[in-house]
Amino acid sequence: MTIIFRSYFKSHHPQILASLKSILNSFFTLLSKFNPMAANQNSVHPSDDPPPFHPSEPSIPVSYPLKTLEELESRSYFDSFHFPFNKASVKLPPYAANELPKRRRLLVCHDMAGGYLDDKWIQGGNNPDAYAIWHWYLIDVFVYFSHSLVTLPPPCWINTAHKHGVKVLGTFILEWDEGKRIANKLLSSKNSTQMYAERLSELAAALGFDGWLVNMEVSLDVGQIPNLKEFVSHLTQSMHSLVPGSLVIWYDSVTIDGNLSWQDQLNEKNKPFFDISDGIFVNYTWRENYPKHSAEVAGDRKFDVYMGIDVFGRNTYGGGQWMTNLALDVIKRDNVSAAIFAPGWVYETKQLPDFQTAQNCWWALVEKSWDISQNYPRTLPFYSNFDQGHGYRFTVDGKQMSQTPWNNISSQSFQPFLEFSGESTGGNLKVAVDIKEPSYNGGGNLTFNGTLEDDFQFSARLFEGKLQLADSPVHFTYSVKSNGSSLLGLSLEFTSAAAEQKSVLLASSGDSLLTMSRFVRHFDNVIMPHRVSKLESESSWVIQESSIAMEGYMLTKIHAVCYKLRPEVHKSESQGKTMALSPSEYHAVLGHLAINSCMLNSDFPPSTSWLVEGNFTKLSSSDSDGSRKLNVKLVWKLKGGKTHPFPKYNIYVKKQPDLSIAESNGSLQLVQEYLGVAVVEAYYVSDLVVPSGTSSVTFIIQVCSLDGALQKLEESPSLDLDVQGS
């Protein structure tokens, strides 16, 4: 797992591998003396000239690993300025917080260039092409991996994985000569193993992730094995105690006799570690019959065996890369679990034609072989704006707030399943998440482009859920933007406890008679939506709302339905003028989808209910043009210790000019400037330019609810800061 071609050398030339390890270890040790953060320098930083990193000093919040046992033992991480920002804000939903389901599972291990790249910037970066995963519906467990001693998953990965019901693990790894020295200290006594295990469990519980991958890639004296077993056992027990449903996964590396010897299967040499943990990640150089043998050894715990697949194809079964599904097919046949290592291969190797397309195609192979692991919606409210966590602009309710490119995986909403169902012989449509076209909310939307004849319809799968409906109606709200006669509706499938199925079409607003006559034979019910509003903006989004009562049924499928109605010359919704379109041309955009119950109360606490403070305030001296730069940590909370499940906050600033200057200029117009998104109740403002003549700045914290609703800016909590002084 540690270096390219390692699997070849460890099998054929172990002496060469040992020499290479020694040489590389010396090189990296020397490099770290000059620049301990060297592994992180390839990432995109929000500012052009990042300051030196000191964990205790205020700076743009970052995620970072622990490199020594001393850091782990001392609990110094909890004193870091960055610790509060690194806490995950999204908990696993109740259905996913318990033990993993008794079926084969898919574990995905993220390894990319040492880790902590674009994803280390907790408040987001400025790379719209930053790597992200969005096929969460195929995944059960996500591991964040790096070569540091204690790899703490950046909160953005925890937040979006948890939202989709996926558990997240950090990595504890010992490797090279330095790893051997650390092992000697770690395993020096039973007490030391227990203490370090408890420190790891404490970190996971405090930061909100779900366990550890333990990777002991060092050779040990056989006398150290009892203490190693104590470490693994105590880590597993303490994790289960602090975080119910958590996992400790053992990596197939050192054996029970102390040898660093990858077994590529579960057998008597590594099973003692499997027996005291929650599973084993089997090294990826296994042979075709090894999954079956491993299942036999595991017995009734066969689903806790995760057969490794290296996507880079380093001596892995099937060759990895675009042949990853070959290994998955074998693993599925033998009914054990799979562990995909380094799916970022698609991104790192710049697979054609582009990352978005290549990523979707690669994961489609995984789905075809492995099938779906997660279902949503499962609870209400349900909201998706199809944001993948990166984009070229940022919008709020159809209005563009920023044209600055950005990335922040924490901003991912529920992701569509990106597979299309049904056939359309009357046309050819391409459906994709688009991050370049202006969105309704955030940075993405679903676009439907191509050709479609009038007499045909096209169906695209959006979600597969398990949403049990009660006796009250369920409300669907969604935003649509389309050209000409291009119409977009939603197809819903419901299943009763007796397996009776009913289909409902939430049609597009338009001609009711034509719509009914066309679809009444294809659906059990056709509902014409109510047009809630049409935003007075350039984007011209149309908001549609429908309600349905299906007591005793479960909502299991949501599809987009694309269709057209005559005549052939139409009025463009997006441009507000009549235009001639090709009879078969089709273009529509789905901006968001919200599903609520009538019991949901979207009222926000008034601004007076909040306490807002500014800490670590620093205002630089004036530049040549009279401007200054402001740094401040904003923190807010509801008064009286009240809590509320707000998933995020949009942060804005208004700069108040000196009244005398404003009057002389004949203008006092204030504009809210969008700064970013906070997913915890804190936001660090760094190097905010305060123009000459500014008397005060007002920071506005716009509260966002789980159903996508936003508090009005004028009613949101805020903080005024006087900046007239030097």
Side-chain angles (χ1 to χ4, degrees):
M1 185 180 288
T2 55
I3 59 173
I4 297 176
F5 303 128
R6 190 206 67 183
S7 58
Y8 171 80
F9 280 110
K10 79 184 182 189
S11 301
H12 300 84
H13 303 287
Q15 295 83 5
I16 296 177
L17 175 62
S19 299
L20 283 172
K21 283 189 174 184
S22 179
I23 294 170
L24 287 171
N25 185 55
S26 299
F27 171 75
F28 286 121
T29 300
L30 179 63
L31 179 63
S32 66
K33 291 180 180 179
F34 291 97
N35 184 4
M37 297 295 289
N40 297 337
Q41 295 305 310
N42 293 326
S43 57
V44 177
H45 193 280
S47 62
D48 295 328
D49 187 21
F53 178 75
H54 300 289
S56 62
E57 296 181 4
S59 64
I60 297 175
V62 298
S63 295
Y64 61 94
L66 306 185
K67 296 180 179 294
T68 66
L69 283 180
E70 289 73 23
E71 290 178 89
L72 180 61
E73 181 177 356
S74 68
R75 292 190 172 100
S76 62
Y77 181 85
F78 296 109
D79 298 323
S80 166
F81 174 82
H82 305 268
F83 165 59
F85 294 94
N86 273 280
K87 294 181 180 180
S89 60
V90 180
K91 296 182 179 180
L92 279 169
Y95 69 83
N98 299 319
E99 294 182 0
L100 290 170
K102 300 298 183 183
R103 56 162 172 77
R104 53 183 173 79
R105 310 158 194 143
L106 186 65
L107 179 152
V108 170
C109 188
H110 173 60
D111 170 57
M112 183 180 289
Y116 302 99
L117 302 176
D118 292 294
D119 53 9
K120 78 174 180 178
W121 303 112
I122 297 171
Q123 295 178 172
N126 55 15
N127 180 10
D129 300 316
Y131 178 75
I133 286 175
W134 52 81
H135 295 79
W136 295 104
Y137 58 92
L138 303 175
I139 304 171
D140 294 287
V141 181
F142 176 81
V143 179
Y144 193 81
F145 178 88
S146 82
H147 293 284
S148 296
L149 176 68
V150 179
T151 300
L152 303 172
C156 62
W157 287 108
I158 307 173
N159 289 334
T160 191
H162 278 184
K163 180 179 294 183
H164 292 86
V166 177
K167 295 181 187 290
V168 178
L169 310 184
T171 303
F172 181 78
I173 186 172
L174 299 183
E175 55 185 347
W176 318 104
D177 294 339
E178 178 64 19
K180 175 66 175 176
R181 289 190 289 270
I182 293 174
N184 290 337
K185 182 176 181 179
L186 170 72
L187 305 176
S188 60
S189 69
K190 179 178 179 180
N191 288 338
S192 70
T193 63
Q194 293 181 346
M195 181 268 292
Y196 287 119
E198 290 168 6
R199 294 291 190 274
L200 290 173
S201 299
E202 181 184 40
L203 276 170
L207 295 178
F209 61 95
D210 310 294
W212 297 95
L213 172 68
V214 178
N215 187 356
M216 304 289 291
E217 295 207 70
V218 293
S219 59
L220 300 173
D221 297 331
V222 69
Q224 294 176 301
I225 296 302
N227 281 343
L228 175 58
K229 292 175 65 177
E230 179 62 28
F231 172 71
V232 176
S233 176
H234 197 71
L235 177 60
T236 304
Q237 294 172 27
S238 59
M239 277 302 312
H240 290 179
S241 176
L242 286 177
V243 184
S246 58
L247 303 171
V248 173
I249 305 293
W250 174 260
Y251 181 66
D252 169 29
S253 50
V254 67
T255 62
I256 198 66
D257 54 14
N259 293 328
L260 181 56
S261 177
W262 300 268
Q263 299 300 295
D264 302 327
Q265 62 184 309
L266 179 65
N267 61 21
E268 71 282 354
K269 292 188 176 183
N270 52 32
K271 188 173 183 294
F273 300 112
F274 173 77
D275 291 339
I276 54 177
S277 64
D278 297 300
I280 184 171
F281 185 141
V282 174
N283 188 54
Y284 46 77
T285 57
W286 46 269
R287 299 178 182 177
E288 185 171 353
N289 59 341
Y290 286 9
K292 181 180 179 181
H293 291 167
S294 298
E296 292 171 350
V297 173
D300 60 2
R301 288 190 60 201
K302 62 182 179 180
F303 299 131
D304 296 333
V305 176
Y306 299 85
M307 302 299 298
I309 306 170
D310 180 13
V311 182
F312 276 84
R314 293 166 280 203
N315 205 28
T316 198
Y317 181 87
Q321 302 183 17
W322 292 104
M323 306 298 286
T324 297
N325 56 303
L326 297 182
L328 286 172
D329 289 342
V330 173
I331 296 170
K332 180 179 180 180
R333 180 194 66 195
D334 293 327
N335 209 23
V336 292
S337 296
I340 293 178
F341 182 71
W345 167 83
V346 175
Y347 182 87
E348 292 189 72
T349 58
K350 297 180 173 60
Q351 292 296 298
L352 299 175
D354 56 74
F355 171 56
Q356 189 88 6
T357 303
Q359 170 104 314
N360 289 336
C361 291
W362 188 85
W363 282 100
L365 292 175
V366 174
E367 179 178 351
K368 184 177 180 180
S369 173
W370 198 254
D371 211 353
I372 292 171
S373 295
Q374 304 289 345
N375 295 91
Y376 40 85
R378 296 184 65 149
T379 58
L380 293 179
F382 176 80
Y383 176 83
S384 177
N385 61 3
F386 313 109
D387 197 321
Q388 292 180 341
H390 50 203
Y392 289 87
R393 57 181 59 82
F394 190 87
T395 60
V396 174
D397 285 348
K399 299 178 182 179
Q400 184 168 288
M401 294 300 181
S402 172
Q403 297 184 37
T404 302
W406 63 277
N407 63 276
N408 187 341
I409 297 174
S410 279
S411 294
Q412 269 198 22
S413 68
F414 281 102
Q415 292 298 300
F417 283 45
L418 296 175
E419 183 189 73
F420 316 123
S421 64
E423 297 181 356
S424 174
T425 57
N428 180 23
L429 286 184
K430 179 181 179 181
V431 187
V433 172
D434 191 331
I435 65 173
K436 294 185 178 180
E437 180 170 327
S439 57
Y440 177 75
N441 260 333
N445 51 50
L446 271 180
T447 60
F448 303 78
N449 284 308
T451 58
L452 187 67
E453 300 296 335
D454 286 343
D455 295 333
F456 293 89
Q457 63 213 42
F458 179 86
S459 177
R461 184 185 70 182
L462 299 183
F463 301 105
E464 293 201 0
K466 289 185 177 180
L467 179 63
Q468 189 65 49
L469 303 183
D471 56 352
S472 58
V474 176
H475 303 278
F476 292 80
T477 305
Y478 47 101
S479 53
V480 177
K481 182 172 56 173
S482 63
N483 289 344
S485 63
S486 303
L487 299 177
L488 180 64
L490 297 179
S491 168
L492 313 176
E493 184 172 301
F494 300 90
T495 305
S496 70
E500 179 188 3
Q501 293 187 342
K502 288 187 178 295
S503 60
V504 176
L505 174 66
L506 306 182
S508 179
S509 56
D511 191 307
S512 300
L513 183 59
L514 281 176
T515 302
M516 290 292 181
S517 62
R518 176 167 179 176
F519 290 109
V520 69
R521 291 174 297 173
H522 302 289
F523 294 89
D524 294 303
N525 193 8
V526 177
I527 299 176
M528 298 301 299
H530 169 64
R531 179 177 290 195
V532 178
S533 64
K534 182 174 181 178
L535 300 181
E536 298 300 327
S537 63
E538 183 181 349
S539 56
S540 296
W541 289 95
V542 175
I543 312 302
Q544 302 190 125
E545 183 178 87
S546 301
S547 297
I548 187 170
M550 295 289 291
E551 181 180 1
Y553 281 81
M554 178 183 289
L555 174 60
T556 53
K557 293 182 180 181
I558 303 176
H559 288 69
V561 178
C562 303
Y563 63 99
K564 302 183 76 176
L565 294 176
R566 295 188 179 94
E568 296 177 355
V569 177
H570 312 278
K571 189 177 180 67
S572 169
E573 292 280 10
S574 62
Q575 298 185 21
K577 61 183 181 180
T578 300
M579 60 184 295
L581 298 177
S582 164
S584 62
E585 182 180 349
Y586 186 96
H587 173 77
V589 181
L590 183 63
H592 85 287
L593 169 63
I595 310 175
N596 299 324
S597 70
C598 62
M599 301 298 293
L600 186 69
N601 186 353
S602 296
D603 291 341
F604 294 97
S607 59
T608 54
S609 300
W610 295 86
L611 291 172
V612 186
E613 298 178 353
N615 300 327
F616 303 102
T617 303
K618 180 181 178 182
L619 192 64
S620 69
S621 57
S622 299
D623 292 337
S624 58
D625 62 356
S627 66
R628 292 169 291 171
K629 291 183 178 179
L630 173 66
N631 292 343
V632 61
K633 178 185 178 183
L634 305 174
V635 293
W636 55 91
K637 63 180 179 181
L638 284 169
K639 295 177 180 178
K642 297 179 181 178
T643 60
H644 206 288
F646 296 121
K648 66 177 183 177
Y649 307 84
N650 293 330
I651 312 300
Y652 298 85
V653 65
K654 287 194 301 186
K655 300 171 184 178
Q656 173 74 54
D658 183 271
L659 287 178
S660 60
I661 296 176
E663 290 172 356
S664 65
N665 292 337
S667 173
L668 192 57
Q669 184 177 5
L670 301 181
V671 178
Q672 290 97 4
E673 177 186 345
Y674 172 77
L675 295 180
V677 172
V679 293
V680 294
E681 293 178 340
Y683 187 86
Y684 186 71
V685 179
S686 176
D687 292 341
L688 177 70
V689 176
V690 180
S692 174
T694 302
S695 62
S696 66
V697 295
T698 300
F699 294 102
I700 304 172
I701 296 97
Q702 184 180 40
V703 184
C704 309
S705 72
L706 288 167
D707 64 346
L710 306 171
Q711 189 169 25
K712 294 180 180 179
L713 288 178
E714 60 271 20
E715 299 175 359
S716 298
S718 62
L719 175 70
D720 295 322
L721 285 182
D722 185 352
V723 294
Q724 292 186 98
S726 58

